[in-house]
Amino acid sequence: MKIFDSEQTRTWDAYTIQHEPIASADLMNRAARVFADWFAGVYPDTRRPVVVVAGTGNNGGDGLVAARLLHWLNYEVKVLVCDFNGKRSADFLAQLAPMPEDVDVVTLENPAGLQEITLFGPAGASDAPIIIEALFGTGLNRPLEGSWAQVIDYLNTLPNEIVSIDLPAGLLADKHTPGNAVVKATRTFSFESPKRAFLFPENAERVGDWEYGSIGLHLDFYNKTETPFHYLTRHQAGLLLRPRTKFSHKGTFGHALLIAGSYGKMGAAVLAARACLRSGAGLLTVHAPRIGFLALQTAVPEAMYSPGHRAHYWTETPDLQPFQAIGIGCGIGQAPETAAALEEFFRMMESGTGGTPGLVLDADALNLLAQHPHWWRLVPRNTIITPHPKEFERLFGKTADDFERNDLQRRKAQEHGIFIILKGAHTAIACPDGACWFNSTGNPGMAKGGSGDVLTGLLTGLLAQRYAPRDAALLGVFLHGLAGDRAAAEKSERGMTAGDLAEAVGKVWNW
C-alpha cells in the first residue's frame, strides 16, 4: 500500500471529486460515514455521550458529519466548535446547516469555553464522554501556538478518551513535530491509508492506537502516482509467496549457511537455525565454534554442523561454494580473531571465490562493521542488514529524530546498494532503489533477546530458496511479525519467548 504525503492526499481528494465525479461535501459525507461505522464498532455502548471538538475547516466538517451520523445511531452528541478567527470553510458551513436541532452545538470564541466538555459527568468515569477531535487534520503545515496550543494543552489534561479524525491536531503528517502542542489521542482513525507520522516511536503517545479505512478515493490516481513510502500489508506479502511443486526435493529449496554462536551465546545460533529450517530451506549448515557441537546437534538435529578451528569463537571461513545464502553475526562476539575472519569473508566475496550467495548481516557482524567502516567497499551489493536502532546508530551516526533517521536509512541503502531492515514496532525496510516499506505485523512481546536471531535465520532461509533479496526482506519481515502475533496469541506478549517465535514461524505459512 502506498503512503502518500499530505499534498498528494489533498490532490487525491481533488482528483476524486473531479473524476468520479462527486461533490466535495458528498465525499466528506462518505468519509465521515466510514469513520462513524468504525467508531460504533469500537464504542458500541450508545449510552456513553460523545463530545465533538471541531475546528472550522474541512476536518471540522468531518466532525460535524460524524456528529450527525452518531446522533442518528442514538448516541448523545454535543458539538463544540472552536471558532477563534471567524473563518469557516464552505464545506464546514454546508455540514453545519443540516445539523439536527436536538444536537447541541456550542460555538467557542476562546479556549476557556472547552470546560463545557465536563457537562456530561465526571471525566474518567465509565460513562464519561468520549471526545472526538476534529480540529485540523492534514491541513496543518507548522506547529500550533497561541489559542490553539491552549486548546491542545487543555485536551491533554483530561482523562477522557480522545479519538482523532484522520490526524491528531498539531501533528505534522510528513515531518518531525517539535514541541508539545499536539493532541495525545487514545485512538486515531485515518482516511484511506496510514500517515507516515504514525509509524515512528516519537509519535506513539500522540497517535495512540490507530486504524485506517478506505473512503473510495479514485484508483487511477493511486496507480499512477509515485511515492517512495509503502505500508506492507497481508495482501502484498501474500503476492510474494512461491508455491512448492509436487516433484520438489531438498536441493530445490537451497542450502543455507549460518555462521553463528560463541562461548555463552550458542542460543543465538540455535534460534537462527530453527527459524531458518522453519522458513522452508532444503538444507542448513551451521558453522560454529567447537563449544557449540552438543547444543546444535541436540537442539537442531535437522541442521548439519560445521566445526570451527577454535573452541570459543569464529576464526575462519569455510568453503562457501555449496551455499545459496549465508547469514552471519548471531552471537559471534567481537574478538579480534572474529573480526579478522569477517574481513577474510568479505574479501572472499569480493574476489568471487565465495560465489554469489545471498547475504544477511546481523548483530556482531554489524558491530564489527561499524568498527571497521573501510569494509563497506567489500560488502556485496544486495546484502540485507538487520540493525536495531543502536546498531544503526553505530553504523551510520546519530540523528535528531525518527524522520531524520528514516531519511538517513534510505540514503545509506542507496549509497551501498543494500537492504537495511531497521527493526522496531513498524520495522522499516529501505531498498537500494530508494523505496521504504513499513511492516504491519508484530507486537511488543517480540521486544526480547533472540527475536533478531530468528529474523536472521528466516531471511537466510528465504534467500537460500532463491527469493530475490527485496522479496526475501519484505516477506521475511512480514512473516517474522506474523509469527510474533501467533506466539503472543498462544503465550501472551509477556510470556512469549524468542523460542516461541521461532516455533511459530512454521505455523504462519498458511495464513
Side-chain angles (χ1 to χ4, degrees):
M1 172 183 290
K2 294 178 180 178
I3 300 175
F4 292 129
D5 63 30
S6 296
E7 182 60 34
Q8 288 174 314
T9 301
R10 286 191 290 272
T11 305
W12 196 3
D13 285 344
Y15 186 95
T16 301
I17 290 168
Q18 180 181 357
H19 290 84
E20 186 170 331
I22 184 173
S24 177
D26 290 337
L27 182 59
M28 183 176 287
N29 288 335
R30 192 158 76 192
R33 191 177 304 116
V34 171
F35 170 81
D37 288 344
W38 168 83
F39 183 93
V42 176
Y43 299 100
D45 185 0
T46 59
R47 294 170 298 178
R48 290 190 69 180
V50 174
V51 175
V52 178
V53 181
T56 55
N58 285 1
N59 192 244
D62 292 331
L64 294 181
V65 183
R68 186 167 72 242
L69 295 174
L70 292 174
H71 168 72
W72 290 341
L73 291 173
N74 296 317
Y75 290 86
E76 182 182 0
V77 182
K78 185 182 187 72
V79 178
L80 303 177
V81 177
C82 297
D83 188 359
F84 300 159
N85 57 20
K87 296 179 181 179
R88 300 183 174 194
S89 74
D91 283 338
F92 174 88
L93 291 171
Q95 301 300 349
L96 184 61
M99 187 67 68
E101 292 184 0
D102 46 353
V103 174
D104 190 12
V105 179
V106 178
T107 299
L108 308 175
E109 296 181 354
N110 60 73
L114 279 172
Q115 294 178 8
E116 295 283 341
I117 288 175
T118 61
L119 291 178
F120 283 121
S126 60
D127 61 347
I130 302 166
I131 300 170
I132 295 178
E133 179 271 307
L135 290 171
F136 285 100
T138 59
L140 199 66
N141 57 19
R142 64 181 185 275
L144 293 174
E145 54 188 20
S147 295
W148 291 114
Q150 293 178 46
V151 171
I152 303 306
D153 288 344
Y154 180 72
L155 290 176
N156 286 341
T157 66
L158 298 175
N160 304 64
E161 292 188 63
I162 300 177
V163 179
S164 290
I165 296 181
D166 206 26
L167 191 70
L171 184 64
L172 305 177
D174 310 312
K175 59 184 178 180
H176 172 68
T177 307
N180 298 315
V182 180
V183 164
K184 295 179 180 178
T186 309
R187 290 183 172 85
T188 299
F189 184 84
S190 178
F191 295 134
E192 208 64 43
S193 65
K195 308 296 188 285
R196 190 179 170 208
F198 294 0
L199 304 169
F200 298 128
E202 68 181 50
N203 293 322
E205 189 179 31
R206 297 159 162 178
V207 177
D209 295 327
W210 59 267
E211 296 183 50
Y212 65 94
S214 174
I215 61 173
L217 296 182
H218 209 292
L219 278 177
D220 284 352
F221 181 90
Y222 178 90
N223 290 332
K224 69 183 184 182
T225 303
E226 296 299 322
T227 173
F229 302 110
H230 304 264
Y231 189 57
L232 181 57
T233 65
R234 182 178 295 244
H235 170 72
Q236 288 169 308
L239 295 176
L240 302 175
L241 287 173
R242 294 181 178 180
R244 296 172 76 90
T245 59
K246 179 178 180 180
F247 293 102
S248 301
H249 52 82
K250 61 187 178 184
T252 306
F253 301 113
H255 192 168
L257 171 68
L258 288 172
I259 298 176
S262 61
Y263 181 74
K265 297 180 181 179
M266 287 310 304
V270 169
L271 290 168
R274 286 177 175 172
C276 186
L277 291 167
R278 294 292 185 189
S279 76
L283 293 164
L284 170 63
T285 293
V286 182
H287 182 78
R290 294 184 180 275
I291 194 72
F293 171 74
L294 185 61
L296 285 166
Q297 294 296 91
T298 302
V300 198
E302 301 91 344
M304 292 173 281
Y305 170 63
S306 166
H309 291 167
R310 299 291 292 270
H312 289 169
Y313 44 81
W314 173 41
T315 60
E316 75 295 316
T317 300
D319 178 16
L320 301 178
Q321 292 297 330
F323 306 108
Q324 284 72 54
I326 303 170
I328 301 179
C330 300
I332 61 172
Q334 300 178 47
E337 293 89 344
T338 299
L342 182 59
E343 182 178 13
E344 175 196 14
F345 169 84
F346 285 143
R347 295 194 182 281
M348 289 175 63
M349 296 293 288
E350 182 191 35
S351 67
T353 57
T356 57
L359 179 61
V360 182
L361 301 177
D362 183 33
D364 283 326
L366 300 180
N367 292 325
L368 289 171
L369 183 57
Q371 295 168 26
H372 302 84
H374 59 283
W375 290 352
W376 272 113
R377 64 181 179 81
L378 304 174
V379 175
R381 298 186 72 82
N382 291 317
T383 292
I384 299 174
I385 70 170
T386 61
H388 57 57
K390 289 303 292 185
E391 289 166 344
F392 181 88
E393 183 180 297
R394 294 182 197 118
L395 284 166
F396 304 119
K398 293 184 178 182
T399 52
D401 57 67
D402 292 334
F403 282 87
E404 186 177 301
R405 184 175 64 184
N406 182 238
D407 292 341
L408 177 62
Q409 178 190 2
R410 292 176 57 232
R411 288 199 306 272
K412 289 300 181 181
Q414 293 173 282
E415 176 185 335
H416 297 297
I418 61 175
F419 295 85
I420 302 177
I421 296 175
L422 181 57
K423 294 178 285 194
H426 291 287
T427 292
I429 306 111
C431 306
D433 63 0
C436 186
W437 294 76
F438 296 91
N439 190 37
S440 63
T441 56
N443 62 81
M446 300 169 69
K448 294 173 182 172
S451 293
D453 303 318
V454 173
L455 177 60
T456 296
L458 177 54
L459 293 168
T460 306
L462 291 173
L463 288 175
Q465 294 169 73
R466 299 172 181 84
Y467 278 87
R470 172 190 172 277
D471 293 353
L474 296 179
L475 184 57
V477 167
F478 182 86
L479 287 168
H480 184 248
L482 194 63
D485 293 337
R486 177 67 177 263
E490 294 179 354
K491 304 287 187 179
S492 80
E493 289 184 5
R494 288 181 175 84
M496 66 179 282
T497 66
D500 299 323
L501 178 59
E503 184 66 23
V505 169
K507 301 176 181 179
V508 297
W509 283 101
N510 296 324
W511 79 72

